[in-house]
Amino acid sequence: MSGAEAFVPTPLLLSDSARKRIKALRFEEHNDALKLRVYVTGGGCSGFQYGFDFAESVADDDTLIEFGDATLVVDPLSYQYLVGSTIDFEEGLAGARFRVQNPNATTTCGCGASFMV
């Protein structure tokens, strides 16, 4: 019989490309205190939509998730919709953007900016 192993799930993941982009933006702004705020608001074609912003300060009830030289900030309301998601950064013909890959979403719009749970 094998022993049980402790497993602590990561609430959010950050891709290497997103981490590198956050690091580059901090360097360009000459501000090591910048953190990527990820949030969910009502709206969009599927009911909820993702938002991104850079923040220096955080509220007492925000969750900070550190990935070495990059930090995510999530407010308590958004957190419940984002648990298990991966934050990615992609560049292509449509431009460059941060994107959420959310396993909790039952439906997403074509551009991936809005979702339904």
Side-chain angles (χ1 to χ4, degrees):
M1 182 186 320
S2 64
E5 292 183 33
F7 174 74
V8 178
T10 304
L12 283 118
L13 299 172
L14 189 66
S15 73
D16 285 341
S17 61
R19 187 186 55 75
K20 288 175 186 174
R21 183 62 181 151
I22 293 168
K23 184 178 177 181
L25 289 168
R26 288 175 48 206
F27 179 77
E28 289 171 17
E29 294 293 320
H30 305 289
N31 187 347
D32 287 337
L34 287 181
K35 300 161 185 57
L36 180 65
R37 179 176 291 281
V38 183
Y39 58 92
V40 173
T41 60
C45 16
S46 297
F48 295 103
Q49 61 187 8
Y50 302 112
F52 300 95
D53 193 11
F54 277 94
E56 288 184 70
S57 60
V58 296
D60 290 338
D61 58 352
D62 282 340
T63 298
L64 294 174
I65 306 165
E66 296 184 8
F67 297 92
D69 50 7
T71 302
L72 296 178
V73 180
V74 183
D75 64 87
L77 181 62
S78 299
Y79 187 89
Q80 62 187 325
Y81 296 109
L82 294 169
V83 168
S85 296
T86 299
I87 310 305
D88 193 16
F89 180 77
E90 58 185 26
E91 293 181 89
L93 295 175
R97 65 181 176 154
F98 285 100
R99 184 176 182 135
V100 177
Q101 298 168 352
N102 189 340
N104 305 308
T106 57
T107 308
T108 59
C109 70
C111 69
S114 67
F115 69 102
M116 184 184 303
V117 288

